Amino acid sequence: MGRYDFRPLRVHQTATQLLNTERISTLPPWYNVVGSITPAQPLVRNQPLQHHQRKLRPTTKKASKLFQPQTIHYEEDVLRNEFFKDHPWELARPRMVIEDDGRDFQKSDWTKIQQTEKALTGESVVQRQLWLRHNVPGITAAEAYDIARKEFYDLRLQEDVERRVAKEEAMAIGAYFGPSALDIGLELETQEYERWRDWAQKEVELVKQKQAAMYTGGVESEDAVLDADTGAGEVDAGLEEVSDAIPAQRKSAQGGAMFTP
């Protein structure tokens, strides 16, 4: 057949031959229609229609971009980007995107933001704002956004109060919920801070001992430095204990305790 397949254009001709040779006994339902309205025969694909108006340009598009699909824009896209840019944590809330029959949008009444068939989400603000812009005369985009946002905040606050009251009622009859996610996070943060503080104290002591060892002829290992630090502390404690027993004199004892043989 080559590069092109011409069999779809010869359907009517093939059916006519089959009827003449009595290969088929009944006339196909589409026979007369295809005979009166023949299929198109151009083998070159035309440029696709534009979805929105554009300024006419003197030059045509490049062949590489001729058959690319056009970008589809919806009015809700701008409103959705604006809301989730201001409220990024709304994207972290779990959502149910499964529909029973695909017609849930027909059951929504956006004269109010709260819906009986749909949970309160950021999409509720978008659809409520879109309804206000299309049905309230003279309202601006900023005013519609403020109205929808205020209604959203009020319902979120109501949900938080109801959740807090339900928890207190459950705890009053003996329910135990355990630590919250915030408490667990704080506990893990405290443990990590304690671990880091112990490590930082050891590192500071090690640096001090290394600096002191530079004046005595070399840098010792970490274990030797820590042992020397422990021994020096015991010696200092002993000297302080002995120095307290020495009577007050004009000059202090140096190199050890003063005694009379």
Side-chain angles (χ1 to χ4, degrees):
M1 296 299 292
R3 182 177 179 182
Y4 301 103
D5 188 4
F6 295 97
R7 286 179 297 178
L9 303 178
R10 298 172 182 170
V11 173
H12 188 270
Q13 180 181 359
T14 304
T16 303
Q17 294 177 357
L18 293 175
L19 288 172
N20 295 334
T21 57
E22 297 182 355
R23 296 285 298 275
I24 55 177
S25 58
T26 58
L27 189 69
W30 47 263
Y31 183 81
N32 295 330
V33 178
V34 175
S36 59
I37 306 175
T38 57
Q41 299 182 1
L43 302 178
V44 179
R45 184 176 180 181
N46 298 327
Q47 181 178 358
L49 297 176
Q50 306 295 324
H51 292 292
H52 52 84
Q53 297 181 357
R54 290 186 177 181
K55 295 182 180 180
L56 298 178
R57 298 180 180 178
T59 58
T60 58
K61 288 187 176 181
K62 295 182 179 179
S64 60
K65 298 183 179 180
L66 181 62
F67 304 126
Q68 289 185 357
Q70 301 298 317
T71 304
I72 300 177
H73 297 281
Y74 293 97
E75 186 178 0
E76 295 92 333
D77 295 340
V78 179
L79 308 179
R80 193 175 293 112
N81 293 336
E82 181 182 9
F83 175 80
F84 287 111
K85 182 179 179 181
D86 297 337
H87 309 79
W89 284 105
E90 283 296 322
L91 295 173
R93 292 180 178 269
R95 294 180 56 187
M96 177 65 69
V97 296
I98 300 177
E99 298 183 1
D100 295 333
D101 53 2
R103 299 179 180 178
D104 290 357
F105 67 96
Q106 298 179 357
K107 306 174 185 178
S108 301
D109 180 18
W110 294 113
T111 56
K112 55 183 180 179
I113 192 172
Q114 189 174 15
Q115 305 295 319
T116 57
E117 301 290 338
K118 184 177 182 297
L120 183 66
T121 60
E123 190 66 23
S124 302
V125 179
V126 174
Q127 297 298 330
R128 172 62 173 163
Q129 182 182 358
L130 189 65
W131 185 90
L132 290 173
R133 294 180 62 177
H134 288 175
N135 296 273
V136 178
I139 192 172
T140 61
E143 293 175 351
Y145 182 54
D146 291 339
I147 294 174
R149 202 162 37 129
K150 184 179 182 302
E151 295 175 354
F152 176 77
Y153 293 159
D154 293 340
L155 291 177
R156 274 282 184 256
L157 179 59
Q158 181 180 352
E159 290 179 354
D160 293 339
V161 173
E162 292 176 354
R163 191 182 302 109
R164 190 180 304 113
V165 171
K167 181 179 180 180
E168 293 177 356
E169 291 178 349
M171 294 177 65
I173 59 176
Y176 177 73
F177 294 95
S180 63
L182 182 60
D183 295 335
I184 296 175
L186 290 176
E187 180 65 24
L188 294 176
E189 184 178 356
T190 302
Q191 295 177 3
E192 184 65 20
Y193 172 74
E194 294 294 337
R195 186 195 65 80
W196 173 85
R197 187 176 63 175
D198 296 340
W199 172 83
Q201 289 177 352
K202 293 180 180 179
E203 290 294 324
V204 169
E205 292 296 332
L206 184 61
V207 170
K208 289 182 179 180
Q209 294 298 328
K210 287 183 178 181
Q211 291 177 352
M214 294 175 60
Y215 299 98
T216 60
V219 179
E220 302 176 359
S221 62
E222 296 183 4
D223 297 337
V225 170
L226 292 176
D227 294 340
D229 184 21
T230 305
E234 294 177 356
V235 172
D236 293 339
L239 291 176
E240 291 179 0
E241 182 179 356
V242 173
S243 61
D244 294 338
I246 299 175
Q249 299 180 2
R250 294 182 179 178
K251 60 180 180 179
S252 59
Q254 297 180 355
M258 297 180 62
F259 61 95
T260 303

